[in-house]
């Protein structure tokens, strides 16, 4: 186990206020409110209230207790699972969390491109001038830039989080405050009409329940800052403070923020690009209403730039910490654990870029930039809540053995009741994850709907499945000195890239039964890769 003094040798502590702002960057923002408003309209207010009471508050306080129990470890969620269930599950948790953060990071990179476009042009028209390939390429460049920044400027994350998180709070307060003042000035005139009890009551059908995963995605993420508990002076007290502040702020932002959107957008006829451009539309309307033109729009654009830069910085750094702090030698291949002089896993960064590129390639054949944006959000609504299940599982484990896992901070003193709450949240999250795999924002049964369903499944299999085969690769390293020789690496990489490219091409066509053809060519490619990788590597290349 890593000791806290080893992980923070310079004694540079983070205050609970700073950690709160860092967590805020990973949990909620205006965009999260937009996403769910487009999915559910004004009924999302009912959903936010239910989620806040029965999900966000217990979720945040569970994270607080887990952080307190394991306050001398640096891996966050993977430390918790490893501490309760051993090395293998700790490794697999670290991998799944890291892999599930890939679509989140890609989505953040995409948002930075959208933000910069608005910040520089003040309009959404630039989006029509960007092809899907250019959108993916620019996101790739953003990734490279941030990896370089993280590598050379160790405090960039904390600075960006403080600026971005602080500005985001200000902008959401402005959205709510100016929206309600404008509502009073206009004599109660709202774009959403009629307003009655039915406006806020959801229709409990498949569509509604399939969007619950996106609500969870919007509200989870506080565990991402758990590794920084080692940088707090009194983590057993300060970490819960940050989590409680996060829950309260989340409730304020989501409920009042969603109502404010109903003032400016007709919840019965929501623009299709609201998820990507809605925040800009609303601040443009508020600016026009108050006679300040596009001033608020530009201010929001740069706020969003800093916020998403902070989010991407936290994601990349936290993902790296997960990978290097709590992945055991037994299961993680040596080449992925290779570190540079600054202690960062170089090949881990390369793998991050590779998997991010894979996700971008999957979406490149969707009709337009807006479809790519919405699909990535849908994918995040699958993988992110799925990995969140580990949190509730870990909480159930420590409450089943309270003597083995003492904590100065305890959420619900009755162990059986606490265990039951953890089980309830685990089941809800797992069911929402499964239902969330169905595509949103496109016509059900259309060619795009089927294509998105296929690439949702492919992305999940690749991201999670890769972690399942890494222990086998590590075993080959121990057996032969290296996992594969140079020739094997080249053949397998070429085969995988060719299979992905051909599969994505097929997905973009209108060939009948293309889903079946994609599955067949994928299985054939995997069998060939297995046959090549199963061979004994050439001993001439056994140098580390």
């Amino acid at each position: 186990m890593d000791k806290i003094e080893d992980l923070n040798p310079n004694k540079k502590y983070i205050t609970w206020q700073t950690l709160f702002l860092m967590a805020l960057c990973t949990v909620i923002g205006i965009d999260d409110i937009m996403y769910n408003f487009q999915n559910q309209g004004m009924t999302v207010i009912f959903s936010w209230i239910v989620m806040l009471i029965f999900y966000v508050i217990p979720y945040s306080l569970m994270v607080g207790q887990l952080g307190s129990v394991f306050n001398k470890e640096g891996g966050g969620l993977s430390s918790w699972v490893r501490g309760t269930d051993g090395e293998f599950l700790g490794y697999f948790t670290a991998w799944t969390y890291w892999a599930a953060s890939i679509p989140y990071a890609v989505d953040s990179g995409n948002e930075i491109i959208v933000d910069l476009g608005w910040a520089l042009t003040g309009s959404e028209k630039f989006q029509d001038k960007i092809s899907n390939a250019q959108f993916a390429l620019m996101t790739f460049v953003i990734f490279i830039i941030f990896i370089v920044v993280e590598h050379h400027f160790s405090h960039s994350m904390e600075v960006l989080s403080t600026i971005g998180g602080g500005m985001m709070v200000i902008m959401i307060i402005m959205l709510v405050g100016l929206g309600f003042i404008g509502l009073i000035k206009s004599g109660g005139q709202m774009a959403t009409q009629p307003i009655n009890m039915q406006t806020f009551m959801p229709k409990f059908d498949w569509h509604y329940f399939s969007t619950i995963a996106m609500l969870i995605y919007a509200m989870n993420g506080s565990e991402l800052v758990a590794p920084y508990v080692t940088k707090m002076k009194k983590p057993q007290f300060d970490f819960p403070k940050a989590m409680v502040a996060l829950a309260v702020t989340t409730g304020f932002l989501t409920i009042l923020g969603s109502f404010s959107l109903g003032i400016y957008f007709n919840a019965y006829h929501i623009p299709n690009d609201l998820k990507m451009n809605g925040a800009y539309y609303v601040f443009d309307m508020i600016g026009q209403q108050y006679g300040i033109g596009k001033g608020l729009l530009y201010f929001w654009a740069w706020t969003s730039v800093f916020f998403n830069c902070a989010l991407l910085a936290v994601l990349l750094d936290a993902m790296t910490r997960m990978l290097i702090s709590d992945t055991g030698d037994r299961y993680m291949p040596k080449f992925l654990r290779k570190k540079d002089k600054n202690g960062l896993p170089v090949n881990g960064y390369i793998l991050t870029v590779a998997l991010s590129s894979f996700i971008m390639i999957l979406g490149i054949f969707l009709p337009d930039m807006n479809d790519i944006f919405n699909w990535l959000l849908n994918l995040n609504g699958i993988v992110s809540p799925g990995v969140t299940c580990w949190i509730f599982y870990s909480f159930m484990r420590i409450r089943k053995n309270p003597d083995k896992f003492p904590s100065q901070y305890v959420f619900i003193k009755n162990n059986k009741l606490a265990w039951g709450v953890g089980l309830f949240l685990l089941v809800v999250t797992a069911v929402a994850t499964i239902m969330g795999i169905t595509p949103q924002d496109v016509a059900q049964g259309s060619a795009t709907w089927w294509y998105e369903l296929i690439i949702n499944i492919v992305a999940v299999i690749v991201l999670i499945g890769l972690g399942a085969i890494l222990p086998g690769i590590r075993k080959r390293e121990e057996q032969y000195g290296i996992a594969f020789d140079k020739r094997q690496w080249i053949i397998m990489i070429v085969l995988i890239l060719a299979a992905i490219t051909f599969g994505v091409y097929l997905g973009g066509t209108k060939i009948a039964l293309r889903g079946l053809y994609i599955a067949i060519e994928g299985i054939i490619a995997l069998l060939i890769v297995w046959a090549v990788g199963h061979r004994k590597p050439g001993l001439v290349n056994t140098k580390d």
Side-chain angles (χ1 to χ4, degrees):
M1 299 277 184
D2 292 321
K3 300 298 183 184
I4 190 169
E5 55 267 23
D6 296 329
L7 291 169
N8 191 15
N10 297 323
K11 299 293 186 296
K12 293 181 179 178
Y13 296 110
I14 292 178
T15 64
W16 71 264
Q17 292 93 339
T18 299
L19 191 74
F20 155 68
L21 288 174
M22 289 171 62
L24 186 64
C25 285
T26 65
V27 172
I28 201 71
I30 289 181
D31 287 335
D32 292 306
I33 301 171
M34 289 287 174
Y35 305 156
N36 289 286
F37 187 82
Q38 181 167 328
N39 283 344
Q40 297 187 9
M42 291 291 275
T43 63
V44 77
I45 293 176
F46 171 87
S47 301
W48 286 130
I49 294 172
V50 171
M51 290 291 292
L52 177 67
I53 297 171
F54 296 104
Y55 199 91
V56 177
I57 293 176
Y59 165 83
S60 299
L61 296 177
M62 286 179 189
V63 168
Q65 182 170 351
L66 285 163
S68 181
V69 170
F70 300 101
N71 63 16
K72 293 186 178 180
E73 300 182 30
L77 180 57
S78 56
S79 295
W80 306 342
V81 176
R82 188 179 69 175
T84 58
D85 284 88
E87 190 70 28
F88 178 75
L89 274 185
Y91 150 74
F92 197 67
T93 303
W95 172 264
T96 54
Y97 205 101
W98 181 82
S101 297
I102 295 291
Y104 197 6
V106 175
D107 180 47
S108 300
N110 281 352
E111 288 204 45
I112 291 172
I113 301 300
V114 173
D115 294 335
L116 288 173
W118 277 95
L120 296 175
T121 68
S123 168
E124 82 282 7
K125 293 180 181 178
F126 76 96
Q127 295 166 9
D128 298 329
K129 301 175 183 178
I130 299 176
S131 68
N132 290 358
Q134 289 173 324
F135 190 38
L137 181 60
M138 285 188 285
T139 302
F140 179 79
V141 171
I142 289 290
F143 257 78
I144 300 299
I145 290 172
F146 268 81
I147 285 175
V148 172
V149 169
E150 284 291 304
H151 183 71
H152 292 286
F153 302 99
S154 59
H155 296 293
S156 59
M157 174 194 61
E158 294 169 28
V159 173
L160 286 170
S161 296
T162 301
I163 297 174
M167 290 175 69
M168 178 60 69
V169 171
I170 292 171
M171 291 305 294
I172 299 181
I173 291 173
M174 289 181 67
L175 169 65
V176 173
L178 294 177
F180 275 82
I181 292 172
L183 182 64
I184 295 171
K185 288 175 62 177
S186 65
Q189 292 297 316
M190 294 180 62
T192 299
Q193 293 294 337
I195 292 289
N196 50 45
M197 285 301 297
Q198 297 294 348
T199 307
F200 302 98
M201 290 303 298
K203 181 181 179 182
F204 297 106
D205 54 11
W206 179 271
H207 171 74
Y208 176 79
F209 287 111
S210 68
T211 60
I212 296 297
M214 184 59 71
L215 287 166
I216 295 174
Y217 163 64
M219 292 181 142
N220 72 1
S222 60
E223 70 283 352
L224 264 175
V225 299
Y228 307 104
V229 71
T230 58
K231 290 189 174 183
M232 304 186 84
K233 193 169 186 178
K234 295 181 179 179
Q236 66 271 34
F237 301 113
D238 290 343
F239 196 84
K241 282 183 187 177
M243 294 301 101
V244 171
L246 179 67
V248 172
T249 306
T250 299
F252 170 80
L253 301 182
T254 54
I255 296 169
L256 296 183
S258 296
F259 188 85
S260 296
L261 293 181
I263 297 173
Y264 295 97
F265 296 108
N266 185 346
Y268 302 106
H269 300 284
I270 299 173
N272 188 48
D273 65 339
L274 190 78
K275 291 181 179 178
M276 185 165 68
N277 297 316
Y280 293 97
Y281 294 154
V282 73
F283 281 116
D284 192 20
M285 286 187 279
I286 292 175
Q288 301 299 332
Q289 182 182 22
Y290 284 87
I292 55 177
K294 292 184 176 292
L296 269 181
L297 184 152
Y298 283 113
F299 191 76
W300 162 252
W302 288 109
T303 294
S304 194
V305 168
F306 278 106
F307 181 82
N308 283 303
C309 285
L311 176 55
L312 186 56
V314 170
L315 281 171
L316 289 176
D317 190 68
M319 287 158 63
T320 301
R321 283 173 175 264
M322 286 278 189
L323 204 61
I324 66 176
S325 295
D326 279 277
T327 48
D329 294 351
R330 244 176 108 186
Y331 304 108
M332 180 62 66
K334 188 183 295 184
F335 69 88
L336 284 179
R337 289 183 284 113
K338 180 182 177 183
K339 301 174 186 176
D340 64 10
K341 62 181 181 180
N342 296 317
L344 297 176
V346 180
N347 291 333
Y349 277 143
I350 294 173
L351 186 61
T352 298
V353 174
L355 285 176
S356 299
S357 300
F358 163 72
I359 295 298
M360 286 184 270
I361 289 171
L362 285 180
I364 205 170
F365 288 105
L366 287 168
D368 56 40
M369 186 172 165
N370 187 54
D371 286 304
I372 294 175
F373 194 91
N374 290 343
W375 167 69
L376 264 173
L377 287 173
N378 185 199
L379 180 60
N380 277 302
I382 302 167
V383 296
S384 183
V387 177
T388 301
C389 290
W390 287 114
I391 295 171
F392 308 125
Y393 172 78
S394 296
F395 181 77
M396 291 167 62
R397 295 291 288 167
I398 66 169
R399 297 313 296 265
K400 195 171 183 69
N401 299 283
D403 295 333
K404 185 179 178 182
F405 303 105
S407 172
Q408 294 189 30
Y409 165 72
V410 177
F411 169 59
I412 303 179
K413 292 185 178 181
N414 186 293
N415 289 308
K416 289 184 179 179
L417 177 60
W419 189 90
V421 172
L423 177 63
F424 169 76
L425 293 184
L426 175 63
V427 171
V428 168
T429 306
V431 171
T433 298
I434 295 169
M435 296 185 72
I437 202 166
T438 55
Q440 311 294 327
D441 310 305
V442 292
Q444 185 173 348
S446 64
T448 302
W449 188 91
W450 280 106
Y451 177 62
E452 288 190 9
L453 180 63
I454 290 169
I455 60 178
N456 280 347
I457 296 170
V458 169
V460 171
I461 290 174
V462 171
L463 288 173
I464 306 303
L466 184 58
I469 67 173
L470 287 180
I473 295 176
R474 176 59 183 149
K475 188 175 180 180
R476 286 176 62 89
E477 286 182 341
E478 292 175 340
Q479 184 177 0
Y480 301 121
I482 59 170
F484 310 106
D485 60 39
K486 185 176 181 181
R487 185 165 174 267
Q488 287 174 304
W489 275 117
I490 293 173
I491 293 174
M492 290 189 297
I493 290 172
V494 169
L495 278 170
I496 291 170
L497 290 176
I500 291 172
T501 303
F502 186 56
V504 172
Y505 165 75
L506 286 176
T509 67
K510 296 183 179 180
I511 300 173
L513 300 177
R514 62 187 179 278
L516 177 62
Y517 297 146
I518 291 172
I520 292 172
E521 71 93 17
I523 292 171
I524 292 173
L526 286 175
L527 288 174
I528 298 174
V529 168
W530 178 83
V532 173
H534 189 66
R535 290 174 54 250
K536 180 179 178 180
L539 297 179
V540 70
N541 296 318
T542 56
K543 188 183 289 186
D544 286 339

